[in-house]
Each structure stands twice: as structure tokens, then as C-alpha cells.
């Protein structure tokens, strides 16, 4: 099953380490918070992805399955 | 919002058929107007066939949500979401205030479909008339011995924009702050008191009561929606109209235009501006609105007259939304604040507004930033002319 990186935006403090460690899928917005490319993490990039996840000081990143179910939530 | 009636079109009056705008129907009046709940049906199947979707703004299929809760272990909870934090919307308050028994019938039907015995009806803390109507209706039902095994409680939630977001509601009803939570787990997995929880908007619940009575075919043959009409119209208020009704028809029934229109905001603060020229021929259905950059959202329709400034109006709304951010997610806190400040300064420029709006969408725990982004992106195209060299100090005094 392919995976992508998921940010918990409540936990994220905008340290920005992830973008430095995984520039192939993560860039920072004008305020230093990560914008994650929703493209699945290919095999060759898996090490970079895992390094970014484990380096986050806020523990705000996780690997998530791409096939997550539809999101029932209002607004 | 004193006026509440239906667009005068055949079969357009359903939810509001028994409405007396000035007060709540008693239980007897309710039964006389709407009949008693129908025979036991497989409500999930009926709702699916009816294709009823959530009327809180997200239009998620009601049957799918119901089934997601039904598939979980544990005693489920049904939450009627009448918080309605959207300033341009008054339909849920109208339902709670005038037709509480219709909402409660729907809630009881949804609970029965889940074999649930706990229902919570949430309304905003400032909604006094709604609170009183609910209390009276609940006392009437208890006195009449209706559904003795079902316990229905009423909870006032804070008067904030995000309190009605479903994870915020679940958090508050579980004793936490009224703030959105990171998902998963979603309410159907872990909701009120960690139990599987069905959260449905008050209008959705009232519509479910009609589906339960009359079945899917009846519902789908002439599906209606509640619209809250405001701005430059003769009789602002809540109107029921068939899905697919021309927007012009809804506006005509709301007393018509008081002044020539510049644009129409459809969907509430989290909706989108539509240029008056595009609005003229559009019908009130999601696909048609999408073609002109709009969305049904919560069904709020606000008419901006010619001469009022759409950029100033958008700045005012985004400032409000920035202030109403739960303050939890960086992109929402910083992005909405930056967009609001930029819109309020002279010569805001399309860039970086468009990039910021695009960047913040989808990056909060809830969809608060997405709504603001949609609004801003629509403003940038509809009010292109006003944006050019815009100076808020020169717009001051522009009538709305």
C-alpha cells in the first residue's frame, strides 16, 4: 500500500525541519508551515520521508495510507 | 430574519408547510400539520435512495454517515447540530424555534435506525427563543409519553463560528473545549464520551423526518432546501425552495431586489461570490453553481448591491473569519490574518492574495481556512475591477 506524509496541523509548530529533510515532497509556506505534496511517497523516497517524520520536534508528522476513507465532516 | 415562507412554486413547501413564523408549533399542531412519524422503514436505505446530503455546508451523504456509525461497536449517540455559527444563515435557528417537533421526530428516527437511546440537541448559547422552544417541546413529548426509552438533552454551545464544526461540537459535548480536533478519529469512530456519534445538521435531521414519513421517492421527486436570503432584497429571511429553482426566483420571492445587484454571495462566509451577470441565469443546484464558481454550502444567499465594494465586504468577512479561527493551526492563524490585513491596505494586488488563499486551503484540522480561501479566490475574479488600485479609505461610506 502506498503512503504519503500527513501533518497534524494542530501539533505542527512550524519548525520547518521537514522541508529541509524532504524537499521532494514538502515546502514551507510564507509563515514557515509545511505544505505537503499529496503525491504518494515512492520507494526511492521512503528513507527521506521517514527521516522527516522522525525529525519533527513537535511529532506532527506521520506516514498515512493513501487509500484513507472519505472524510465525513461538516464545514 | 422575521420573514419565513416558501418560494411559491408547486410542492416547494415541505419542511415549512406547517410554519407559523411567530412561534413554535405545539405537539398537537405539529401532528396536525405533518402527521405522525410513518411506519418503521429501513431509514438508511431510504436516505440513500433519497440521496439526502448534509445541509450544514459539506453536503456529505446522510446515509453513509448513518451507516458508518451503525457499523461501530458501542452505544451510539445522535447529535443534532443546530449551533449555526454562520452569520448569514438563520435556517437552523428557524427550525429549532418554530418547528422543534419536526427536528425531534427526525432525531428520534435516526436514533431508532441506530438503536440509540441518547440524543443531544445543540444550539448556540445566545439562541434564547430556540432554547425555550426546545424545552417546551421536550416537556410536551415527555408529558405525552412519546419514545420513553429515548433520552433527549439540550445543550447550549459557545457562540463562535467554529463551535458548530462537528469535531468541535463533539469535543464540547464531551466536556472539552469547543475547538476542532485533528481527525481521525472522526465522530463516528470516537465521538461524544468516546462513543460512536452521528452528527447531523438540524435541517438535515428535519429532512430525515420527512423521508421517514413519506419515503425516498416522495422526497427525491421534489427535494427542497432552506435558503437564508439577505442583503439588498425586500424581505430578507428564510425561504424554502426546490433544488434547481432559479436564483432569480428565490430573490423575487424574498421581495425582489432593492437595488441593482453587483454580486451575490452564495453559501455563506465559507461560500463564493458570483458576479451579478452570472447570477442572473443560475439555478440553485450544486452543479449549476459550480459552473459559475459557486457552491450551495449552507444555502445562504446575500445580495451585494451595485455601489457597495466587494473588496471591502470580503475584507470585513475575512477579518471576521481570521478572528474566529480556533487559533490551533498555523496556516489558518497566519494565513487568514495575512489575507485580511492585505485586503484592508491600499493596493492589495492579486498576488500574493491568490497564492496565500490557495496555500491555506486544506491545511487546517477543520475546513475553516478552506472556506475563507474559496471566498477570497472568488472575490479576486468577481471584483477584479474593484481590486485594481483599491483604497479602502476611498470606499468608506459606500452603502451596503
Amino acid at each position: 500500500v502506498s503512503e504519503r506524509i500527513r501533518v497534524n496541523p494542530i501539533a505542527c509548530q512550524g519548525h520547518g525541519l521537514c522541508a529541509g529533510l524532504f524537499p521532494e515532497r514538502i515546502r514551507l509556506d510564507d509563515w514557515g508551515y509545511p505544505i505537503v505534496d499529496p503525491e504518494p511517497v515512492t520507494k526511492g523516497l521512503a528513507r527521506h520521508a521517514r527521516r522527516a517524520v522522525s525529525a519533527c520536534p513537535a511529532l506532527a508528522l506521520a506516514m498515512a495510507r493513501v487509500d484513507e476513507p472519505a472524510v465525513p465532516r461538516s464545514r | 430574519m422575521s420573514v419565513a415562507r416558501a418560494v411559491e412554486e408547486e410542492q416547494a413547501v415541505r419542511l415549512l408547510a406547517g410554519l407559523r413564523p411567530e412561534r413554535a408549533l405545539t405537539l398537537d399542531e405539529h401532528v396536525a400539520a405533518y402527521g405522525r412519524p410513518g411506519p418503521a422503514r429501513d431509514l438508511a436505505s431510504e436516505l440513500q435512495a433519497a440521496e439526502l446530503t448534509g445541509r450544514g455546508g459539506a453536503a456529505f451523504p446522510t446515509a453513509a454517515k448513518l451507516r458508518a456509525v451503525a457499523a461501530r461497536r458501542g452505544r451510539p449517540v445522535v447529535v443534532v447540530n443546530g449551533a449555526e455559527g454562520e452569520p448569514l444563515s438563520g435556517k437552523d435557528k428557524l427550525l429549532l424555534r418554530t418547528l422543534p417537533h419536526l427536528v425531534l421526530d427526525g432525531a428520534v428516527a435516526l436514533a431508532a435506525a441506530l438503536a440509540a437511546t441518547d440524543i443531544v440537541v445543540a444550539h448556540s448559547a445566545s439562541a434564547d427563543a430556540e432554547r425555550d422552544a426546545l424545552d417546551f417541546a421536550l416537556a410536551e413529548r415527555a408529558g405525552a409519553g412519546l419514545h420513553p426509552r429515548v433520552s433527549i438533552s439540550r445543550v447550549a454551545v459557545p457562540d463562535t463560528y467554529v463551535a458548530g464544526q462537528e469535531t468541535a461540537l463533539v469535543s464540547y459535548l464531551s466536556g472539552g473545549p469547543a475547538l476542532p480536533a485533528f481527525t481521525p478519529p472522526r465522530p463516528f469512530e470516537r465521538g461524544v464520551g468516546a462513543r460512536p456519534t452521528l452528527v447531523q445538521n438540524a435541517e438535515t435531521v428535519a429532512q430525515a423526518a420527512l423521508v421517514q414519513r413519506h419515503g425516498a421517492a416522495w422526497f427525491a421527486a421534489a427535494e427542497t432546501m432552506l435558503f437564508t436570503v439577505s442583503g439588498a432584497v425586500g424581505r430578507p429571511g428564510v425561504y424554502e425552495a426546490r433544488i434547481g429553482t432559479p436564483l432569480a426566483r428565490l430573490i423575487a420571492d424574498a421581495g425582489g431586489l432593492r437595488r441593482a445587484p453587483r454580486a451575490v454571495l452564495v453559501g455563506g462566509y465559507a461560500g463564493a461570490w458570483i458576479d451579478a451577470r452570472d447570477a442572473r441565469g443560475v439555478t440553485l443546484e450544486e452543479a449549476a453553481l459550480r459552473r459559475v464558481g459557486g457552491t450551495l454550502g449552507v444555502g445562504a444567499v446575500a445580495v451585494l448591491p451595485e455601489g457597495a465594494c466587494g473588496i471591502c465586504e470580503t475584507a470585513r468577512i475575512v477579518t471576521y473569519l481570521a478572528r474566529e479561527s480556533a487559533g490551533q493551526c498555523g496556516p489558518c492563524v497566519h494565513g487568514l490574518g495575512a489575507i485580511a490585513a492585505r485586503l484592508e491596505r491600499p493596493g492589495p494586488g492579486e498576488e500574493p492574495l491568490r497564492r496565500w488563499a490557495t496555500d491555506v486551503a486544506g491545511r487546517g484540522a477543520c475546513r475553516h481556512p478552506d472556506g475563507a480561501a474559496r471566498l477570497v479566490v472568488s472575490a479576486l475574479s468577481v471584483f477584479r475591477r474593484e481590486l485594481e488600485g483599491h483604497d479602502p479609505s476611498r470606499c468608506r461610506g459606500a452603502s451596503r
Side-chain angles (χ1 to χ4, degrees):
Chain A
V1 179
S2 58
E3 290 186 312
R4 60 185 166 79
I5 284 193
R6 241 193 126 200
V7 186
N8 176 338
I10 297 178
C12 176
Q13 299 298 311
H15 291 95
L17 273 66
C18 53
L21 290 167
F22 193 27
E24 296 90 342
R25 288 286 186 277
I26 303 178
R27 66 183 176 96
L28 300 181
D29 66 18
D30 286 11
W31 309 282
Y33 291 85
I35 300 176
V36 180
D37 188 332
E39 277 293 293
V41 174
T42 52
K43 252 198 175 135
L45 292 174
R47 265 184 53 198
H48 285 193
R50 279 196 297 274
R51 207 163 52 187
V53 168
S54 55
C56 176
L59 306 178
L61 300 185
M63 300 303 293
R65 290 158 55 118
V66 170
D67 61 349
E68 267 193 71
V71 187
R73 59 177 184 177
S74 59
R75 278 226 293 270
Chain B
M1 307 284 175
S2 55
V3 180
R5 44 196 280 280
V7 168
E8 286 156 15
E9 206 168 313
E10 224 175 313
Q11 289 185 298
V13 196
R14 291 185 149 188
L15 276 182
L16 304 185
L19 183 78
R20 297 189 180 195
E22 71 285 0
R23 66 169 178 85
L25 291 194
T26 64
L27 183 54
D28 288 344
E29 288 169 341
H30 163 71
V31 170
Y34 295 93
R36 292 182 190 283
R41 297 176 186 269
D42 176 358
L43 191 59
S45 299
E46 292 293 331
L47 291 171
Q48 183 175 352
E51 299 185 38
L52 176 62
T53 56
R55 299 296 168 79
F60 192 85
T62 306
K65 234 176 167 181
L66 182 62
R67 288 197 167 120
V69 176
R72 307 296 297 187
R73 287 163 188 261
R75 295 188 305 128
V77 180
V78 172
V79 174
V80 178
N81 186 355
E84 198 171 44
E86 164 62 50
L88 291 177
S89 184
K91 62 175 181 102
D92 295 325
K93 289 179 211 71
L94 176 80
L95 287 172
L96 295 181
R97 190 171 69 240
T98 62
L99 302 169
H101 286 295
L102 191 61
V103 176
L104 294 171
D105 277 355
V108 169
L110 290 166
L114 295 166
T117 55
D118 291 301
I119 296 171
V120 182
V121 183
H123 64 88
S124 70
S126 64
D128 293 341
E130 291 73 9
R131 176 200 61 206
D132 294 347
L134 277 169
D135 281 346
F136 189 82
L138 290 172
E140 281 183 299
R141 293 167 93 92
L146 295 182
H147 44 79
R149 283 187 296 277
V150 179
S151 137
I152 308 181
S153 57
R154 174 190 64 70
V155 177
V157 304
D159 279 302
T160 60
Y161 192 86
V162 298
Q165 195 278 336
E166 70 175 22
T167 58
L169 192 54
V170 161
S171 167
Y172 189 74
L173 297 178
S174 306
L179 297 174
F182 182 58
T183 55
R186 301 186 178 87
F188 78 89
E189 298 165 302
R190 187 182 168 84
V192 177
R195 293 158 63 184
T197 300
L198 178 70
V199 182
Q200 290 289 3
N201 165 267
E203 182 192 342
T204 316
V205 174
Q207 295 280 14
L210 296 186
V211 172
Q212 197 277 336
R213 278 174 167 75
H214 305 291
W218 175 90
F219 179 85
E223 183 179 357
T224 67
M225 182 165 171
L226 296 183
F227 294 91
T228 311
V229 188
S230 63
V233 295
R235 288 192 303 272
V238 177
Y239 294 83
E240 182 173 12
R242 287 266 294 273
I243 299 284
T245 297
L247 173 61
R249 180 67 190 260
L250 177 69
I251 290 172
D253 275 68
L257 294 163
R258 277 195 287 114
R259 295 165 55 187
R262 170 67 183 88
V264 183
L265 177 58
V266 181
Y269 283 7
W273 292 105
I274 300 173
D275 194 291
R277 282 169 304 183
D278 294 328
R280 201 171 297 151
V282 81
T283 53
L284 294 164
E285 54 198 321
E286 192 62 22
L289 285 163
R290 293 263 169 189
R291 282 194 289 274
V292 292
T295 176
L296 276 172
V298 293
V301 171
V303 179
L304 184 78
E306 195 72 68
C309 176
I311 295 299
C312 285
E313 201 62 16
T314 304
R316 188 184 64 74
I317 297 171
V318 180
T319 299
Y320 170 87
L321 292 174
R323 198 174 63 228
E324 288 291 315
S325 166
Q328 300 187 114
C329 305
C332 186
V333 170
H334 297 281
L336 268 52
I339 292 169
R342 186 90 193 182
L343 280 166
E344 279 172 356
R345 69 173 231 190
E350 185 170 348
E351 290 304 331
L353 285 170
R354 186 177 296 275
R355 181 167 54 85
W356 285 348
T358 309
D359 274 358
V360 299
R363 290 180 55 234
C366 74
R367 301 212 172 146
H368 192 63
D370 307 35
R374 176 164 42 228
L375 178 78
V376 170
V377 168
S378 73
L380 293 179
S381 54
V382 172
F383 303 121
R384 190 172 294 277
R385 168 157 57 84
E386 291 88 336
L387 187 72
E388 190 74 30
H390 183 257
D391 182 353
S393 66
R394 282 211 307 263
C395 286
R396 211 166 284 154
S399 50
R400 300 224 303 267

